[in-house]
Amino acid sequence: MPRLRTLPTLAGITCLALSACTAPTPPATASAAPAIASIDRNAELLARGDYLVRIAGCNDCHTPAYGERGGNVPKDEWLVGSPVGFSGPWGTTYAANLRLKAAEMDEAAWLEYTGELHTRPIMPDFALRAMTEDDRRALYRLIRSLGPGGTKAPDYLPPGQTPPPPYLQMVLPPAPAAAAAPPAPAAG
């Protein structure tokens, strides 16, 4: 019986001795940490961009048939612009192909462009300008990750030109009649 107790002890000593012979794991290099942080940051921006495109209404106009398909459109079809015009007193506007637009500029140019954007209806440019720079950066990163796709949207048509179908006609109510002038004070 005493021999059984010595066998585990010998086995334990042997394991310890052999484990001391293995080379220690080298410490991570200083340059690996920023690379990992950069990958994590980019993944975070892509996820944020995906979220914003879904909830901010970007796909509603810039992705063909997004609403009709209940949002069930594969990403490779996102943000390619639309042939559907929005016609009103301002003329006829079309949702731009954002993938081609983002491909034309670097990130700094995109941030400047979207931070100062003023367009015709129905684009809610005020909402884009109100986004944080990081949100607009996230949109850019997502759009660029999709790659260029689709074709250029139709050009703007000035007021008075009838657009080719399909288009939505935005009819505004007539302006309220001018308020009647108050009666002149009675003399006397």
Side-chain angles (χ1 to χ4, degrees):
M1 196 102 139
R3 284 192 156 182
L4 292 177
R5 288 185 189 169
T6 58
L7 285 177
T9 305
L10 278 176
I13 291 171
T14 304
C15 286
L16 283 174
L18 289 175
S19 67
C21 295
T22 60
T25 305
T29 62
S31 64
I36 291 170
S38 174
I39 291 168
D40 289 346
R41 175 75 173 133
N42 194 53
E44 176 187 313
L45 286 169
L46 288 172
R48 178 83 179 150
D50 183 288
Y51 172 75
L52 289 169
V53 165
R54 289 175 190 271
I55 63 110
C58 304
N59 275 328
D60 295 351
C61 294
H62 294 275
T63 298
Y66 191 79
E68 296 90 331
R69 293 165 69 182
N72 189 20
V73 177
K75 270 191 190 178
D76 63 341
E77 296 177 28
W78 283 14
L79 309 173
V80 295
S82 177
V84 177
F86 296 94
S87 186
W90 61 85
T92 304
T93 54
Y94 296 87
N97 182 329
L98 298 179
R99 290 164 67 167
L100 295 179
K101 189 71 172 170
E104 294 172 355
M105 53 185 88
D106 64 14
E107 189 170 295
W110 173 268
L111 292 173
E112 182 178 345
Y113 170 75
T114 56
E116 299 172 1
L117 184 64
H118 290 273
T119 62
R120 295 177 187 91
I122 68 171
M123 172 63 193
D125 54 19
F126 54 87
L128 189 59
R129 289 190 313 271
M131 287 183 179
T132 66
E133 185 175 283
D134 225 28
D135 283 345
R136 291 183 287 113
R137 177 177 287 110
L139 290 175
Y140 177 77
R141 297 271 181 100
L142 173 73
I143 295 167
R144 286 296 293 253
S145 78
L146 298 173
T151 59
K152 184 181 177 299
D155 290 329
Y156 161 76
L157 296 174
Q161 290 190 15
T162 303
Y167 66 94
L168 298 173
Q169 183 71 43
M170 312 298 233
V171 179
L172 301 177

